[in-house]
Every structure is written in structure tokens, then in C-alpha cells.
Amino acid sequence: GEIKHYTDYSDGKLHAEWTARITPSGRYLLDGNKTTYYPDGKTESRSTYENGRPVVQTYWSPAGVKLWTWTYDNKNDTAVWTKYWANGNKKVVSNWLTNPELKINQGKRKIYCKIANGLATLFNQDGSIEETNTFNMGCIGDAGSCLSGGWY
């Protein structure tokens, strides 16, 4: 479908603007940029979507300080979440699965969620590394160490 530009001026102020399209089957999909604004007009978030799936999402505080960014690799169903200190340095960088296949009871099911998986690094405010951990399906270390009931 054709990509169209939309805005939200629900109380006379610009709250959000985005692009989206309706597919031939009737699905409404964000496609392109989406920006939300605080009441004072400062940018709250900026995201880019492709066929309804996020590619990059960034949020700022009301004071204009970048809080975090998600960067998605939708082809491989992975993402990187980066949180920031108030001085702009990275605070945490962690790797995630975005559509993991979980073994549940008598089968497998692919679900849309985020589960920490891979390296996570915690930084000090000066940018030096404080700690690193490796996650496996949401658990530090072996996934079987913290998941029970067949979830792994």
C-alpha cells in the first residue's frame, strides 16, 4: 500500500508524526519515521520502522538527554539495547533476541518478545568497563540454570 504521513495535534500541539501504510490484506503498518514530542515541543522519541517492524528507536528525557536506543537486525531477529549516562557516555550495551523460538511443554513456539542473549557490558560514567556478563536465553550462563518447566 501507499505510505502516508500522519500527525497527532489532538489538543492543538504536535504530539506525534509518523508514516504508515495499509497492506492489501488490511493490516496497518508503521513504515518510515515516527517522532513523538513532549508538551514543550522537545523530541521525546524518534523511531524508524520497516514493514511494521522497528529498525531503530531512541528516547530522550524531557531535558533533552538521550536515555536509550534500540537497534534491530530484523533479518536475524536480534537487537542491541544501549542505555546512556547523563553525560552521553554509554551506560549499558546488551544483546537481545527479538523473536525467540521457545520450547514449551510439547513443542516449540516462536513468540514476539525480547530476551537478553549474548554479551552485556556495564560501563562507568567515564566510559571504562565496570562489568560484563553473557546471557543465554535470559539467564546468565547456561539457560538451564534459571529456566524451568521446559522453557529454554
Side-chain angles (χ1 to χ4, degrees):
E2 178 184 347
I3 295 176
K4 296 183 180 181
H5 184 261
Y6 299 89
T7 56
D8 173 7
Y9 282 97
S10 55
D11 64 0
K13 292 182 181 179
L14 180 61
H15 293 279
E17 55 187 331
W18 66 96
T19 56
R21 63 186 174 85
I22 298 175
T23 67
S25 65
R27 291 183 61 209
Y28 180 88
L29 298 177
L30 293 172
D31 204 325
N33 297 320
K34 176 183 177 186
T35 305
T36 61
Y37 301 93
Y38 286 107
D40 66 1
K42 289 182 182 173
T43 300
E44 175 186 36
S45 70
R46 185 171 295 126
S47 304
T48 301
Y49 290 85
E50 188 175 276
N51 294 315
R53 295 188 71 186
V55 177
V56 176
Q57 297 174 307
T58 303
Y59 275 76
W60 290 267
S61 73
V65 176
K66 187 190 297 188
L67 299 175
W68 55 261
T69 299
W70 279 99
T71 305
Y72 297 87
D73 176 350
N74 291 317
K75 181 178 179 184
N76 293 304
D77 290 332
T78 60
V80 175
W81 186 28
T82 305
K83 293 177 70 174
Y84 298 91
W85 290 102
N87 67 8
N89 286 342
K90 293 176 183 176
K91 185 175 187 176
V92 178
V93 176
S94 54
N95 290 277
W96 296 74
L97 296 175
T98 56
N99 288 304
E101 183 173 271
L102 300 178
K103 296 177 185 177
I104 48 178
N105 298 326
Q106 299 173 354
K108 294 180 182 180
R109 182 174 179 197
K110 194 167 186 170
I111 61 170
Y112 182 75
C113 69
K114 294 181 179 106
I115 295 178
N117 195 68
L119 184 64
T121 305
L122 175 64
F123 296 89
N124 294 304
Q125 287 191 37
D126 66 6
S128 62
I129 294 174
E130 180 177 324
E131 180 180 350
T132 61
N133 283 296
T134 300
F135 286 81
N136 185 348
M137 295 297 287
C139 303
I140 294 177
D142 179 22
S145 67
C146 69
L147 297 175
S148 61
W151 290 79
Y152 56 99

